[in-house]
Amino acid sequence: MPTFDLSLPPAHFVEEEYQARVWMNHFLQSHRMNGGLGLDSETSGATKHKDVVMLWSLSDGANRVCLPAKFIPLFREPILENPEINFDLTNAKFDAHMFANSGADLSKAGQWRDTLVQSFLYNENNQGRHGLKECVKDHFDREPPTFDLIFGKLPPAKKGTVKKTYADLINEALADPVKRAAAADYAAMDAFNTTCLRKHFDEQLGQLMMYQGTSLRDFFYSVEVPFTKVLWKMERRGFQIDAGYLWALKGPMEQRMQEIEKEFAKAAGQLVNLRSVPSIRWFFYEFLKKEHWKKTKGGSTGLQQPSTDVEVLEDWAGQGDDWAKLLLEFRGIDKIYGTYVTSIMELLDSNYRVHTSLNQIGAQSGRLSSSDPNLQNIPRPSEDQFRIRDAFVASKDKKLIVADYAQLEMRLMAHFSQDEKMIKAIIDGIDLHCLTVSEMYGIDYDEVIGAVKAEKKHKKNELGRELTNREITLLMYRQACKATGFGIIYGIGGPKLASQLTKMGEKVYAEAEGWHLIEQWFNIFPSVRVFIEGAKKQIKSIGFVQTLTGRFRRAGEISFMSKKDASQTERTLVNAIIQGSAADIAKASMLQADVDPVLCGYGARMLLQVHDELVFEVPDVPEVVKECKSRLQAIMENPFGSPLRVPLPAEVGEGYTWATAK
DNA sequence: GGCGGCGGCACC
DNA sequence: AAACGGTGCCGCCGCC
């Protein structure tokens, strides 16, 4: 429980301008004593680029006040955009969007302290319990009323009637004097609880030391607080979409899918829903009487059923099954159609820009996640026949620059393990996977590299001959070694590695071969094994690991776990050292890029992060593009004051679409 | 009609 | 001997 007074002050609902001015003057003083102002809003809905503030509330811990939206202009400059005032919020970016849509730019104010982020730093394992209501329950043992209780539930949408909105619910409540008081009490409670939580987490995080002299509280204020604003600006800018391009894809996709549906219907004598797994199961296993060799996981019921996934279908397709081939084609189209064409078109704003949400507490490793829409899983152009990334374009008179780290996670493995051979190879600019092939199979390194170069030329039709069998073999070896290296970062086992390699290539790998590859890989880079074993020991003894910047990834109580859960936790935490540190590096680059005088001076605008990749929009002037590229590269390659044991090269490209800029 | 589990699949 | 880390979202389907 917190050390400060938690008693709830009465809620005030401001109706007259003179009241508003009195409270404004009060908060202009009291925010200093409280170390910030709690701020929350009730909005007309949850669409980032459209919805607006209906009611908003301020609290300095001793008072709580609810105001209607009409007072936003009056408070805009002195309070909401005042750089002297720090705000305490829960889900800060959301409220900031709503205020921006209502004419107030909160990004001009002081800090945004987001209690979601504080709660995450306090315990990243409390999944789903970082929200305001959950934190108030868990930390203050109080249960504030829910929105529904005060404002009622949105009735189910009915055909032919006008949809009721949250704005309607709030307006209805305000029209009734009794309900209005309850609404004000509810809204102002959230602002009060938010500022209390911020102070509570300040105390708690202050006790948790990341390393000598630095607490999680320090980390929150120096890294996470500024980062929230960086992310908000990216969300706010949005990414320009070539809606015509997407629109043009729709028709042909629908047509081809219908053709395939008809083929199945004709053969089966009835409609087969190709999007339904049970229907597909029926078609292949009952109707065509195919043998099954793979079953589904079976979830909570434990009911395992014959699988119809890509792996199975590709196996059948390889044996000449045209139905499997057709279904693969259907799935390939439908995935893109449903997830990336129609859904993105529905999320465009009036300028055809799409505004993702970049979730600061998205991954327990410390990575971001992206949603509504998820722009971190748009198909790569090399794999995508529809080239969805070509629909992501630069705005008028702008150009995109895309920068990504090369083998960031492998380099971090080298840094953490301090493996001599690995570090030397990286510093000498040697291709790690080729080196592994060379050592593992006793082949000359230059010959392996030669095969890689030949393949590159072949892809660009510059080779002037076919690849030799020897080259193909070497490339296969390299694929295997590359997959092994990645797998080791994930804590892979022999069977999984074998099945993955079998899926990738022409050769069938046995489980023993998988284990052998892993063993051999460890023999080439022996310190990596030592590092992983050491990390596992630490996880067993103290129950946590830390990333490059000292961020924690904590385990539950391992001694109470089943053997299976314990080893799962070990794999997760070992991986978190690498994945989390990569996230730290990306974050540091973004923080620097956001305030960099060169990039800011040229008007470069950061739009998107995809873990190890950053997308910017810059003025379409050759000299500007060139300067921004080299500046961004310099920032990314030296994200911290102190260098790592290996360099962190970043590759930078430019173009008018996301697909072509890489 | 909303919701959650499931199978499947896109990304790093 | 067995066990691939981190995400979000689609449509379907059964349940309430």
Side-chain angles (χ1 to χ4, degrees):
Chain A
M1 288 299 273
T3 59
F4 52 86
D5 187 14
L6 262 184
S7 49
L8 188 67
H12 295 277
F13 185 63
V14 172
E15 311 203 42
E16 305 291 339
E17 188 175 321
Y18 77 91
Q19 293 175 295
R21 288 187 189 277
V22 170
W23 279 116
M24 184 165 79
N25 286 327
H26 173 80
F27 286 128
L28 275 170
Q29 300 302 318
S30 68
H31 77 91
R32 296 191 192 280
M33 173 91 92
N34 187 51
L37 282 183
L39 175 61
D40 186 48
S41 60
E42 307 305 323
T43 66
S44 58
T47 307
K48 288 184 291 287
H49 60 274
K50 256 204 214 123
D51 280 304
V52 293
V53 174
M54 304 281 297
L55 290 174
W56 54 293
S57 308
L58 289 169
S59 176
D60 56 14
N63 304 275
R64 54 190 184 110
V65 171
C66 175
L67 305 100
K70 66 176 179 188
F71 291 120
I72 291 176
L74 182 68
F75 281 71
R76 184 178 63 86
E77 270 198 43
I79 301 271
L80 294 168
E81 297 182 359
N82 185 344
E84 299 279 305
I85 299 180
N86 299 320
F87 286 110
D88 304 329
L89 306 111
T90 301
N91 200 5
K93 290 189 278 110
F94 177 78
D95 289 277
H97 284 301
M98 297 301 124
F99 274 102
N101 296 341
S102 304
D105 182 359
L106 284 190
S107 73
K108 291 180 179 165
Q111 296 172 338
W112 299 351
R113 298 86 160 256
D114 195 329
T115 64
L116 286 183
V117 179
Q118 286 184 302
S119 173
F120 176 81
L121 288 180
Y122 180 73
N123 187 352
E124 72 282 358
N125 289 312
N126 285 347
Q127 291 146 299
R129 300 211 60 82
H130 299 305
L132 182 59
K133 303 276 185 289
E134 292 81 8
C135 285
V136 167
K137 175 83 183 76
D138 295 350
H139 293 267
F140 298 159
D141 196 28
R142 287 185 182 179
E143 297 196 43
T146 61
F147 181 92
D148 291 357
L149 189 70
I150 306 298
F151 295 95
K153 254 179 118 83
L154 220 48
K158 272 186 201 152
K159 273 181 191 169
T161 59
V162 181
K163 238 209 274 179
K164 216 174 184 184
T165 64
Y166 284 99
D168 299 328
L169 288 181
I170 293 170
N171 281 329
E172 280 168 20
L174 293 178
D176 174 327
V178 178
K179 283 192 191 165
R180 185 192 310 158
D185 179 63
Y186 170 86
M189 179 116 53
D190 280 357
F192 172 79
N193 279 329
T194 299
T195 197
C196 291
L197 268 181
R198 189 270 300 166
K199 289 186 278 186
H200 171 67
F201 279 126
D202 272 357
E203 294 178 348
Q204 297 299 310
L205 295 175
Q207 311 277 315
L208 298 172
M209 301 308 283
M210 299 167 83
Y211 45 88
Q212 197 61 260
T214 301
S215 66
L216 278 178
R217 181 182 188 279
D218 302 325
F219 182 80
F220 174 67
Y221 281 96
S222 62
V223 177
E224 301 290 1
V225 167
F227 196 50
T228 305
K229 259 191 208 181
V230 174
L231 295 179
W232 181 77
K233 286 189 258 179
M234 295 165 70
E235 291 181 0
R236 197 73 197 155
R237 288 170 191 136
F239 208 137
Q240 187 71 52
I241 300 297
D242 182 347
Y245 181 93
L246 290 183
W247 187 254
L249 288 176
K250 264 188 77 171
M253 288 174 122
E254 284 162 2
Q255 207 179 340
R256 181 62 189 142
M257 286 194 289
Q258 274 175 25
E259 277 172 24
I260 297 173
E261 273 169 339
K262 272 187 199 153
E263 294 260 343
F264 274 82
K266 208 165 78 184
Q270 63 181 68
L271 222 64
V272 184
N273 184 348
L274 302 184
R275 294 175 179 87
S276 160
V277 174
S279 298
I280 292 302
R281 218 170 262 142
W282 173 84
F283 184 85
F284 283 97
Y285 293 112
E286 311 271 329
F287 180 70
L288 294 185
K289 302 203 176 351
K290 301 207 65 116
E291 294 289 319
H292 74 263
W293 55 270
K294 185 182 177 183
K295 287 191 168 186
T296 59
K297 275 257 176 260
S300 58
T301 55
L303 186 64
Q304 297 187 339
Q305 292 191 296
S307 169
T308 65
D309 70 5
V310 259
E311 200 186 341
V312 172
L313 293 174
E314 270 174 0
D315 178 55
W316 291 340
Q319 296 163 15
D321 183 331
D322 289 336
W323 294 111
K325 284 181 198 164
L326 267 183
L327 183 58
L328 280 168
E329 187 189 352
F330 181 92
R331 285 229 180 116
I333 299 170
D334 192 48
K335 174 80 184 176
I336 307 281
Y337 179 84
T339 310
Y340 303 110
V341 178
T342 56
S343 67
I344 287 182
M345 287 180 69
E346 283 165 17
L347 291 165
L348 298 182
D349 72 8
S350 53
N351 298 311
Y352 303 104
R353 295 184 83 86
V354 71
H355 304 267
T356 186
S357 291
L358 293 165
N359 188 353
Q360 203 168 348
I361 61 170
Q364 286 171 298
S365 61
R367 270 190 182 175
L368 293 178
S369 74
S370 159
S371 60
D372 311 297
N374 181 355
L375 296 190
Q376 290 181 325
N377 73 346
I378 305 294
R380 302 202 314 270
S382 54
E383 318 290 327
D384 176 14
Q385 54 166 325
F386 300 106
R387 290 186 58 102
I388 295 300
R389 286 194 191 197
D390 266 333
F392 290 74
V393 298
S395 324
K396 192 173 179 308
D397 301 323
K398 297 276 166 68
K399 197 164 191 183
L400 298 176
I401 62 180
V402 176
D404 69 310
Y405 283 107
Q407 310 116 30
L408 183 53
E409 296 198 339
M410 257 312 157
R411 285 162 189 273
L412 283 166
M413 182 57 99
H415 173 78
F416 281 110
S417 69
Q418 306 186 44
D419 187 277
E420 271 182 50
K421 194 186 288 171
M422 210 178 203
I423 291 175
K424 186 176 186 308
I426 289 172
I427 290 174
D428 293 346
I430 286 171
D431 179 299
L432 275 183
H433 309 308
C434 289
L435 174 67
T436 318
V437 173
S438 153
E439 300 243 343
M440 211 180 269
Y441 300 90
I443 299 165
D444 192 43
Y445 172 82
D446 291 328
E447 197 190 347
V448 190
I449 270 289
V452 172
K453 285 181 182 161
E455 193 201 22
K456 266 190 192 164
K457 278 191 183 170
H458 186 257
K459 272 192 182 160
K460 286 195 254 172
N461 289 323
E462 288 170 7
L463 191 60
R465 62 170 171 86
E466 287 306 302
L467 292 171
T468 64
N469 283 339
R470 173 72 171 171
E471 280 166 344
I472 290 169
T473 305
L474 293 182
L475 289 168
M476 232 178 75
Y477 286 164
R478 186 175 178 278
Q479 284 274 299
C481 287
K482 192 175 171 182
T484 309
F486 273 109
I488 278 167
I489 294 175
Y490 300 147
I492 203 171
K496 199 81 191 177
L497 179 59
S499 85
Q500 194 190 315
L501 287 171
T502 305
K503 225 186 309 181
M504 279 170 26
E506 309 73 37
K507 179 177 173 311
V508 176
Y509 283 79
E511 293 188 5
E513 280 179 282
W515 285 119
H516 187 65
L517 276 168
I518 294 167
E519 181 63 22
Q520 296 247 286
W521 199 97
F522 275 135
N523 288 341
I524 295 171
F525 304 114
S527 299
V528 173
R529 192 197 318 250
V530 175
F531 164 70
I532 291 175
E533 290 310 315
K536 285 183 179 172
K537 244 184 212 155
Q538 181 190 320
I539 293 158
K540 283 196 196 90
S541 62
I542 60 175
F544 66 86
V545 295
Q546 288 181 279
T547 64
L548 213 50
T549 63
R551 222 164 20 78
F552 292 109
R553 181 71 180 93
R554 290 155 281 207
E557 186 50 67
I558 291 226
S559 53
F560 294 154
M561 290 182 192
S562 68
K563 211 166 186 180
K564 191 181 163 189
D565 287 351
S567 27
Q568 157 95 35
T569 302
E570 283 173 13
R571 282 198 302 278
T572 302
L573 264 68
V574 170
N575 176 260
I577 304 172
I578 307 291
Q579 191 184 117
S581 298
D584 291 346
I585 287 168
K587 192 188 285 183
S589 300
M590 292 166 75
L591 283 167
Q592 244 177 283
D594 177 64
V595 296
D596 183 72
V598 177
L599 291 176
C600 292
Y602 282 119
R605 303 189 306 174
M606 192 166 20
L607 300 183
L608 188 61
Q609 183 244 50
V610 189
H611 310 306
D612 60 1
E613 169 183 348
L614 294 176
V615 183
F616 282 71
E617 199 172 59
V618 303
D620 185 18
V621 177
E623 197 56 28
V624 172
V625 173
K626 193 175 154 232
E627 291 295 320
C628 287
K629 277 169 81 176
S630 67
R631 185 62 190 161
L632 177 60
Q633 186 174 34
I635 290 169
M636 288 174 72
E637 292 186 346
N638 188 14
F640 303 120
S642 55
L644 305 188
R645 297 184 180 99
V646 287
L648 300 174
E651 293 160 2
V652 196
E654 60 181 272
Y656 295 101
T657 81
W658 190 8
T660 50
K662 240 194 135 170

